[in-house]
Amino acid sequence: MTRFNRRNFLKNTVLSLAILASSTAFVQQLSAAEKSVLISRVHNDISMLDPAFAGNVPDEAVMGAIYNKLVYYKPGSKWGWELQAAESIEQTDPTHISFTLKPGITFSNDFGEMTAEDVKYSFERIIDPAMKSPNADNWSALDHVEVTDRYSGVIVLKEPSQALWSLTLPYISGNIISKKATESVGGKFATNPPAISGPYRIKEWLPKEAVILERNPQWTGEITGYDEIQIRQIDDEKTAEIAFEAGDIDFTRVSLSSLGRYREEAPENSQLIENPSLYYVWLGMNFDHPKLQDIRVRQAIQSAIDIPSIISAAYFDAVAPANGIIAPGLIGHRPEPGIPHKADFAKSKALLKEAGAENLELDLDILNKSTFVTSAQVIQATLAQAGIKLNINLHESGAFWSLGDEKAGDRYKNIQLIMNRYAMAPDPSYATVWFTTAQKGIWNWERFANAEFDTLHNKATSEGDATKRDQMYRDMQTLMEDSGGYRFITHEATPVIHRNTVKPALRPDGEPLYRLFQPAK
């Protein structure tokens, strides 16, 4: 844990640049080979490649290249899916989905051809209570998968699932793994899958530096665009931009502070793409911490955070304030905030006085990234106007992403305030699921527990009436805000830039589908 000060900030910046310099030399050495190589940047390292336990964007970016799903997101500006491992798939009624696999999809390490039995195993293991999968909610409607022959089967649901086609099948929980291979390693694995079936395989993983993919020689499907894909971890967008402008990477997200400059004039031989974002950024509070158990204290903190100041200072007025965790354009988006975006210092002071907490001192844990650092400094300044002293603790990505995980030790007990940023898929259930009671100590770092929220989340998943479903998700976000434990900040934006030598394949929110990238002709 690092206390924020100017010296530490400069030290960390110099260290990041030194790491980049060494990484650049590594990239240049690999790129010298006579093969087509795509070099991309990601903000965080992989943490898990088992679909039952994976949860972050870099994990799925790799899994999407090394595994297969029945269906996969279609690249473009509109959300949709296309066939992948499935030769055909059809929802015959609200609770039955028939599928037939393409013959000849082979698992590595001599684990044979993909069959309907592997589909059954992959999906059913996620809902197995013994697995304790954090992704079980994605398949909560699943009863079982019925195998009808070697390649065909029926997904049988207990109830209709509105998120099945937009979230469950084309995203993390839809990845198909080998039953034989997984059982051979005890039924679980981490970052070392015992078998893969996709067009790429992992050539090398350099923790906190890069995941290097190469063509899978056993792949019999459509030929991929690149012999090798290097997915390099660079936490900070500004640092990544330096690497892009130096010619060391081919694809990266752009910082909002650089967006205006790139709009006017992008670097030579490159193209800027702007997409709406499904990310959500918020400040959360640990309900279990002694200093934050009084709702009046939490509400005082909410009232002392000025969202417009954060948007201006940290996001250069290039994004809009958030009204919840569900992004604009999706069912459940709240068009208006419950709490005004502007701070109310008089209200904050009154609440603190009423709670007997007028000399409150708190810690805020953040990822050591320039946008979060600036946001935290603004929050520090506005909380001070309400009489709250705030200490800012910086964490590198590896340490930060284990802060709220009970399996990582007792550090979760020390969380007071935390600024976080999650990604979601194009269904609101993928935003609300992480704040259910079942996610306490996993991804629910605020330790929020609300029975009404849990009930609404479960009902909304199967609700077929779009108007009713929309209201359910709005109500869930109101419950979060009314608890005092959340201050919604922004959904950001996802501008990306790529070299003209690259033809990227992107989801509508700008996330890369690496297996579909091609060299530009």
Side-chain angles (χ1 to χ4, degrees):
M1 184 179 295
T2 307
R3 295 281 182 181
F4 176 81
N5 58 46
R6 181 175 176 82
R7 178 176 296 176
N8 281 331
F9 178 75
L10 291 173
K11 179 180 70 175
N12 289 329
T13 301
V14 170
L15 178 59
S16 295
L17 291 173
I19 293 172
L20 175 65
S22 63
S23 298
T24 297
F26 176 75
V27 169
Q28 291 172 339
Q29 180 181 357
L30 286 175
S31 298
E34 292 296 327
K35 56 187 173 183
S36 58
V37 179
L38 172 70
I39 305 172
S40 179
R41 170 258 175 179
V42 72
H43 68 280
N44 192 26
D45 201 3
I46 60 171
S47 60
M48 178 65 64
L49 297 179
D50 184 332
F53 300 96
N56 69 33
V57 171
D59 290 344
E60 169 55 20
V62 172
M63 290 192 295
I66 66 174
Y67 299 140
N68 284 285
K69 306 171 179 67
L70 292 176
V71 299
Y72 196 41
Y73 289 124
K74 182 184 293 187
S77 59
K78 294 183 179 180
W79 288 102
W81 54 265
E82 58 190 10
L83 295 175
Q84 192 173 79
E87 185 174 75
S88 64
I89 189 166
E90 179 185 6
Q91 182 143 11
T92 54
D93 64 46
T95 58
H96 291 81
I97 299 169
S98 299
F99 67 88
T100 299
L101 292 171
K102 296 173 182 175
I105 300 175
T106 305
F107 287 110
S108 63
N109 297 325
D110 297 322
F111 282 106
E113 187 181 21
M114 180 184 292
T115 68
E117 187 64 37
D118 295 304
V119 177
K120 176 181 175 67
Y121 176 78
S122 298
F123 298 167
E124 290 183 0
R125 73 188 283 265
I126 292 179
I127 61 170
D128 182 354
M131 288 291 291
K132 297 181 180 179
S133 167
N135 296 327
D137 194 82
N138 296 334
W139 275 115
S140 61
L142 178 65
D143 185 88
H144 68 281
V145 177
E146 179 181 319
V147 175
T148 55
D149 62 36
R150 181 172 178 82
Y151 301 115
S152 301
V154 180
I155 299 170
V156 181
L157 306 177
K158 294 178 289 187
E159 58 189 7
S161 173
Q162 301 304 314
L164 193 78
W165 295 99
S166 61
L167 166 63
T168 309
L169 287 172
Y171 199 49
I172 290 173
S173 299
N175 283 298
I176 302 166
I177 57 176
S178 165
K179 177 181 179 180
K180 291 179 182 178
T182 305
E183 289 182 341
S184 74
V185 294
K188 296 180 182 180
F189 56 91
T191 54
N192 53 338
I196 57 96
S197 65
Y200 288 97
R201 65 183 181 184
I202 297 175
K203 176 181 180 181
E204 189 173 10
W205 175 38
L206 304 170
K208 298 183 180 180
E209 286 189 39
V211 177
I212 303 170
L213 306 177
E214 65 179 359
R215 281 186 171 143
N216 175 8
Q218 292 181 283
W219 175 247
T220 58
E222 186 175 346
I223 297 176
T224 56
Y226 289 92
D227 296 316
E228 184 172 285
I229 299 176
Q230 300 171 16
I231 306 172
R232 308 205 60 77
Q233 182 193 350
I234 305 175
D235 288 350
D236 190 72
E237 280 98 349
K238 299 294 281 186
T239 307
E241 288 164 17
I242 294 171
F244 183 86
E245 293 178 13
D248 296 324
I249 56 178
D250 303 314
F251 175 86
T252 184
R253 183 175 171 179
V254 171
S255 68
L256 296 173
S257 62
S258 298
L259 182 56
R261 175 169 61 90
Y262 281 1
R263 280 173 177 166
E264 292 180 5
E265 185 178 3
E268 187 176 1
N269 298 318
S270 66
Q271 183 176 341
L272 178 70
I273 301 175
E274 296 186 57
N275 297 279
S277 171
L278 294 186
Y279 284 97
Y280 50 103
V281 181
W282 78 98
L283 181 136
M285 310 175 207
N286 182 358
F287 287 81
D288 290 350
H289 197 279
K291 290 185 178 182
L292 297 166
Q293 290 176 354
D294 191 323
I295 189 173
R296 295 168 297 182
V297 172
R298 300 195 298 271
Q299 291 173 335
I301 296 166
Q302 283 179 320
S303 297
I305 296 174
D306 190 69
I307 303 303
S309 296
I310 296 173
I311 297 299
S312 178
Y315 294 94
F316 305 91
D317 289 319
V319 302
N323 299 328
I325 57 176
I326 297 173
L330 298 182
I331 284 178
H333 171 69
R334 295 202 306 173
E336 300 292 336
I339 299 173
H341 292 141
K342 288 190 66 64
D344 186 338
F345 299 116
K347 179 181 179 180
S348 181
K349 290 177 180 178
L351 285 165
L352 289 172
K353 184 176 181 179
E354 184 181 330
E358 295 173 279
N359 297 311
L360 187 62
E361 181 174 351
L362 294 167
D363 289 343
L364 169 61
D365 292 294
I366 66 169
L367 188 64
N368 186 10
K369 186 176 177 181
S370 58
T371 301
F372 291 153
V373 171
T374 303
S375 299
Q377 290 173 319
V378 172
I379 293 170
Q380 186 180 53
T382 58
L383 290 185
Q385 293 185 57
I388 301 171
K389 181 180 179 181
L390 185 69
N391 305 309
I392 302 172
N393 302 326
L394 300 181
H395 303 271
E396 299 307 319
S397 60
F400 180 83
W401 290 111
S402 62
L403 279 177
D405 185 354
E406 290 184 7
K407 293 181 180 179
D410 292 336
R411 289 190 302 164
Y412 72 92
K413 296 179 181 179
N414 297 322
I415 291 175
Q416 295 176 15
L417 308 184
I418 191 155
M419 184 182 296
N420 221 329
R421 171 182 178 268
Y422 283 178
M424 65 175 290
D427 189 88
S429 63
Y430 200 74
T432 56
V433 63
W434 311 117
F435 303 95
T436 58
T437 304
Q439 287 291 327
K440 284 178 64 175
I442 305 174
W443 292 109
N444 178 354
W445 293 2
E446 293 80 17
R447 307 187 69 76
F448 173 65
N450 184 292
E452 184 180 358
F453 181 96
D454 295 349
T455 299
L456 283 169
H457 172 77
N458 292 331
K459 287 183 176 180
T461 302
S462 59
E463 177 57 60
D465 186 312
T467 300
K468 291 181 180 179
R469 193 168 188 246
D470 179 73
Q471 189 59 53
M472 288 178 177
Y473 285 111
R474 293 189 189 191
D475 291 345
M476 277 184 263
Q477 292 165 97
T478 299
L479 289 171
M480 293 174 70
E481 197 168 53
D482 288 350
S483 73
Y486 299 90
R487 188 61 157 142
F488 307 125
I489 298 176
T490 181
H491 292 286
E492 297 189 333
T494 52
V496 298
I497 194 164
H498 66 89
R499 304 216 174 280
N500 289 339
T501 55
V502 175
K503 183 180 179 182
L506 308 176
R507 299 188 332 193
D509 60 347
E511 292 298 333
L513 304 170
Y514 286 120
R515 68 191 289 158
L516 302 178
F517 271 56
Q518 296 285 335
K521 296 180 180 179

